[in-house]
Amino acid sequence: MSMSTGNASREPWNKGKIVGQKAPFKLKDIWALRVRLQMQGRVRELALFNLGIDSKLRGCDLVALRVRDVCHGDQIASRAIVMQHKTQRPVQFEITASTRDALQTWIKHAGLRSEDFLFPSRLHESPHLGTRQYARIVGHWVKELGLDPADYGTHSMRRTKATLIYRRTKNLRAVQLLLGHSKLESTVRYLGIEVDDALEISEQTEI
């Protein structure tokens, strides 16, 4: 009886919120936030932001990363592979030089060991940064950039690099692999490319 009461009282995270496809960040926004985080010495946030963009991971997978997932000994790896919580399928991602530098600085600053979570929680009840905490951090970044919080969220982090790659290459299969989608249709829907491509074609058609 108590179990059903507990379930009934637990409201879904998106109750009362407008939930839809979140916009990817633009390059100018990415660089503006990076500079702000660097200038203000926000070491953890810079590492989280850079890795979130590079990895293209869902929030639940990003926050659960351990130091050993991105490190080979004392060195940050240029590539990593993790098992996705949602699909139980492995996905690989690159770690660019700027992200490796940010992670190295953060790991040293926080004194993290190989088995530690990469982003430990500051709350006692959670061993690592929670998805809600991550969402609040992303929301704070969005406000700092002067963007509309209704248009952006944690999936903006996941979509940003994938969208840029698709726009530059039109290689759907590559993006599918990078996002860890089992079906190409999922990638099409996730990027919303059918609509974008249709509008682009229409804009280039003069009458």
Side-chain angles (χ1 to χ4, degrees):
M1 185 70 179
S2 59
M3 185 178 295
S4 61
T5 304
N7 289 337
S9 63
R10 184 180 296 172
E11 293 185 350
W13 67 271
N14 57 356
K15 183 177 181 181
K17 298 179 182 179
I18 299 173
V19 180
Q21 195 74 282
K22 297 302 181 183
F25 289 107
K26 295 180 175 65
L27 279 175
K28 64 181 181 67
D29 297 324
I30 294 171
W31 285 108
L33 186 57
R34 276 181 178 154
V35 169
R36 178 187 289 262
L37 296 177
Q38 288 171 341
M39 295 291 288
Q40 296 179 356
R42 291 152 67 179
V43 179
R44 182 179 79 146
E45 289 185 57
L46 180 61
L48 181 64
F49 178 74
N50 280 358
L51 188 59
I53 294 292
D54 268 1
S55 69
K56 303 164 287 292
L57 290 173
R58 295 179 182 86
C60 60
D61 294 322
L62 179 65
V63 298
L65 288 173
R66 293 181 186 268
V67 174
R68 61 173 177 249
D69 291 324
V70 299
C71 278
H72 290 160
D74 294 332
Q75 298 297 314
I76 306 295
S78 59
R79 292 182 179 180
I81 181 169
V82 297
M83 191 67 71
Q84 299 174 98
H85 178 75
K86 181 178 179 179
T87 64
Q88 291 303 301
R89 292 165 58 94
V91 65
Q92 296 187 60
F93 57 89
E94 75 285 358
I95 305 176
T96 58
S98 59
T99 300
R100 292 197 298 272
D101 290 343
L103 286 171
Q104 193 84 63
T105 301
W106 162 241
I107 290 169
K108 183 177 180 181
H109 175 82
L112 300 177
R113 299 163 299 176
S114 177
E115 67 272 16
D116 291 337
F117 285 108
L118 191 54
F119 301 106
S121 175
R122 292 171 178 170
L123 303 177
H124 294 298
E125 61 268 24
S126 177
H128 60 72
L129 188 70
T131 52
R132 291 191 181 203
Q133 291 172 280
Y134 176 48
R136 282 194 289 269
I137 291 171
V138 173
H140 185 62
W141 293 338
V142 170
K143 289 178 182 176
E144 285 187 271
L145 290 168
L147 303 173
D148 188 344
D151 294 335
Y152 295 85
T154 56
H155 270 283
S156 298
M157 300 288 291
R158 177 162 157 80
R159 291 187 70 208
T160 293
K161 199 166 187 178
T163 301
L164 286 172
I165 291 169
Y166 175 74
R167 286 175 180 168
R168 289 174 181 175
T169 68
K170 302 298 182 182
N171 190 330
L172 255 183
R173 174 60 178 162
V175 177
Q176 177 194 3
L177 291 170
L178 292 169
L179 289 173
H181 286 159
S182 58
K183 295 181 180 179
L184 201 60
E185 292 82 356
S186 300
T187 308
V188 170
R189 285 196 304 272
Y190 192 76
L191 295 182
I193 59 175
E194 289 179 315
V195 175
D196 286 347
D197 285 353
L199 287 171
E200 187 176 327
I201 293 169
S202 182
E203 287 167 350
Q204 293 171 359
T205 304
E206 295 185 7
I207 298 176

